[in-house]
Every structure is written in structure tokens, then in C-alpha cells.
Amino acid sequence: MFDEKSYSLKMDKAIEVFLKELSSLRTGRANAAMLDLVKVDVYGQQMPINQVGSITTPEPRMINIQVWDQNNVNLVDAAIKKSELGLNPQIDGQLIRLPIPELNEERRTELKKLIKSMGEKCKISIRNIRREANDELKKLLKSKEISEDDENKFEKKIQIITDDQINKIDEKVISKETEIMKIWIQLNMSPLLWMVTVAGVLNIKNLEILDINKDLKQSKKLLKQQLRKKLNI
């Protein structure tokens, strides 16, 4: 008999991989999850960094890795350099420091494209799983293990599950893009430029609120409130 739950679980796993990839993106702030996908070739196997050392974030733009075995320091260093994180490790004994570069406009644009690409890649995986399910249904129908009504019923169920997963991907993409926009604004903009940019995001045509002769703090506070409302944050 056809089991749609097994295909739902496959889709869930595809989403999990996608979320790990998102969390590993360098966004301008120190985040230990950035290292989740980096594997170190030690003891004859590929191991995640958190299994060969302790990871901490002592500063907003610094990750520290205290490698437990001195012999693994250069291996961890090499694994980080080979990754796509774009980080330059600094070795101090068994301590590896990872300064996180600022999130500039070029990097923000690059991240936005990368996030969309990751989302599309995950959608393809989800649709491939749907195709596998539908192929199995055709085989079961051909062998007369299910009826045509059963096939149609299960196809609809699989399509509903697929649509739900696709919607989840879109939501995560939008959420990550919003997160990066927030970080970029906070890291790169002067108060007045911040206000002008947010006004553009909010499509505020009446710029009287940005009058520099007015209370700058009050104007910024009002814009923050409107930005949170628009971005649901």
C-alpha cells in the first residue's frame, strides 16, 4: 500500500538541509551555526568542527574555536579556508579566531542571490520527491495494487504536502532576506541615511518626517515602528 508519510519525511529532510545551509551564511555577525557545514578530515573521517573543539562568539563579529588536540589545529584551519565562508582564520596556539567581515552592499546583494538560489534548489528537491511518489503510484496502479480512485486521492495528498513545503521555503527565503537587510542597515548606515533608506522600503512619499530640523531620535523611532510593522518583526 502507498505510504505518503514516507515522502513527507523525505521532504522534511530536504527542508532541514536547506535551513542548515541558510544558517551557515556569513551575514556580518558572528554565528556558530556558520560552521555547521564545515567538515574536518581527522581520525580517518569527516567530522564537524564542534566535535574537535569548542566554538564561542566572544564579540559580535568574532568566532573563537578552541581546538582540543594541537594536531588538529592546521586541519581545522585548512577546512575553513576550503569552505565557501570567505573567512580568514587567525591561529594562536590551539585557539583559532575568525573575524567576521562587515556586511557591505556588494555582499548583501550576493547573499540575496545566493538565498534565492538555495531556495530554488530545495524546491527542485521537493518536486523530485513528488515525482518519485507519483511514479510509485503509477506502478501500484499498473500492478492493480491500488485503484484509479486511490491513485487520484494519493496524488492530491502528495500535491498538498508539496505545496505546503514550497510555501515553507518561500517563507524562509523572505525571512532570511529580511534578517540580512536588518543587519546591513544596522551596520552600515548613519542615522539620517538609515531613515531615508527605510522610508524607501516603506514607500513613504512625504519626507517631512525626515526633516533634519526635527527631533532626529523621534523620527527614527517612528520609522522603526513602521519598519517592524511592515516586516513583521
Side-chain angles (χ1 to χ4, degrees), residues 64-114:
N64 284 353
I65 305 170
Q66 186 65 48
V67 183
W68 299 323
D69 186 339
Q70 176 71 50
N71 295 324
N72 292 334
V73 172
N74 289 334
L75 297 175
V76 174
D77 174 60
I80 293 170
K81 288 178 178 177
K82 288 179 183 177
S83 72
E84 297 180 354
L85 292 175
L87 300 177
N88 294 310
Q90 299 174 355
I91 299 176
D92 182 8
Q94 289 179 231
L95 177 65
I96 297 178
R97 295 187 178 90
L98 298 175
I100 309 300
E102 289 186 4
L103 181 64
N104 56 29
E105 174 62 17
E106 181 181 357
R107 177 61 177 166
R108 186 183 73 82
T109 302
E110 178 185 330
L111 282 175
K112 188 174 181 180
K113 291 179 181 178
L114 184 57

Side-chain angles (χ1 to χ4, degrees), residues 9-67:
L9 289 174
K10 284 185 178 182
M11 292 183 185
D12 286 340
K13 288 180 180 178
I15 295 287
E16 286 178 13
V17 172
F18 169 59
L19 294 179
K20 280 188 177 181
E21 290 177 342
L22 281 185
S23 68
S24 71
L25 290 177
R26 173 167 64 80
T27 59
R29 283 184 177 173
N31 178 7
M34 293 168 59
L35 302 174
D36 283 353
L37 298 181
V38 180
K39 297 294 187 291
V40 187
D41 189 6
V42 293
Y43 311 124
Q45 58 183 315
Q46 294 285 313
M47 298 180 66
I49 290 179
N50 61 12
Q51 290 187 18
V52 297
S54 56
I55 304 172
T56 58
T57 53
E59 300 174 21
R61 289 176 50 212
M62 180 71 71
I63 297 177
N64 284 353
I65 305 170
Q66 186 65 48
V67 183

Side-chain angles (χ1 to χ4, degrees), residues 114-130:
L114 184 57
I115 291 167
K116 288 185 181 298
S117 175
M118 287 178 171
E120 289 304 314
K121 180 181 175 182
C122 188
K123 287 180 182 180
I124 290 172
S125 297
I126 296 298
R127 290 171 181 139
N128 285 340
I129 295 169
R130 176 188 60 187

Side-chain angles (χ1 to χ4, degrees), residues 36-225:
D36 283 353
L37 298 181
V38 180
K39 297 294 187 291
V40 187
D41 189 6
V42 293
Y43 311 124
Q45 58 183 315
Q46 294 285 313
M47 298 180 66
I49 290 179
N50 61 12
Q51 290 187 18
V52 297
S54 56
I55 304 172
T56 58
T57 53
E59 300 174 21
R61 289 176 50 212
M62 180 71 71
I63 297 177
N64 284 353
I65 305 170
Q66 186 65 48
V67 183
W68 299 323
D69 186 339
Q70 176 71 50
N71 295 324
N72 292 334
V73 172
N74 289 334
L75 297 175
V76 174
D77 174 60
I80 293 170
K81 288 178 178 177
K82 288 179 183 177
S83 72
E84 297 180 354
L85 292 175
L87 300 177
N88 294 310
Q90 299 174 355
I91 299 176
D92 182 8
Q94 289 179 231
L95 177 65
I96 297 178
R97 295 187 178 90
L98 298 175
I100 309 300
E102 289 186 4
L103 181 64
N104 56 29
E105 174 62 17
E106 181 181 357
R107 177 61 177 166
R108 186 183 73 82
T109 302
E110 178 185 330
L111 282 175
K112 188 174 181 180
K113 291 179 181 178
L114 184 57
I115 291 167
K116 288 185 181 298
S117 175
M118 287 178 171
E120 289 304 314
K121 180 181 175 182
C122 188
K123 287 180 182 180
I124 290 172
S125 297
I126 296 298
R127 290 171 181 139
N128 285 340
I129 295 169
R130 176 188 60 187
R131 188 179 66 248
E132 289 176 17
N134 290 337
D135 288 345
E136 184 186 349
L137 287 172
K138 288 181 174 64
K139 290 178 181 178
L140 291 173
L141 177 63
K142 188 176 181 179
S143 62
K144 298 183 180 180
E145 294 179 57
I146 61 172
S147 66
E148 288 187 6
D149 287 342
D150 288 332
E151 181 191 24
N152 291 332
K153 179 184 68 175
F154 285 124
E155 277 186 353
K156 288 179 181 179
K157 285 185 177 182
I158 288 296
Q159 187 59 52
I160 290 172
I161 294 172
T162 300
D163 291 341
D164 287 343
Q165 298 285 22
I166 295 295
N167 288 336
K168 284 181 185 178
I169 295 169
D170 287 336
E171 289 172 2
K172 294 299 180 181
V173 165
I174 292 172
S175 176
K176 194 66 177 182
E177 288 178 344
T178 300
E179 174 192 336
I180 289 172
M181 172 61 84
K182 283 173 58 184
I183 294 172
W184 182 76
I185 288 173
Q186 292 168 0
L187 291 177
N188 292 278
M189 292 192 171
S190 66
L192 187 58
L193 182 57
W194 182 91
M195 291 165 61
V196 172
T197 301
V198 173
V201 172
L202 297 172
N203 196 26
I204 297 176
K205 296 180 180 179
N206 183 357
L207 296 182
E208 288 182 0
I209 192 173
L210 303 180
D211 189 340
I212 60 174
N213 293 320
K214 293 185 177 182
D215 186 340
L216 191 61
K217 288 185 178 179
Q218 182 63 22
S219 297
K220 188 175 180 181
K221 181 179 179 182
L222 291 173
L223 277 174
K224 275 187 174 181
Q225 291 173 349

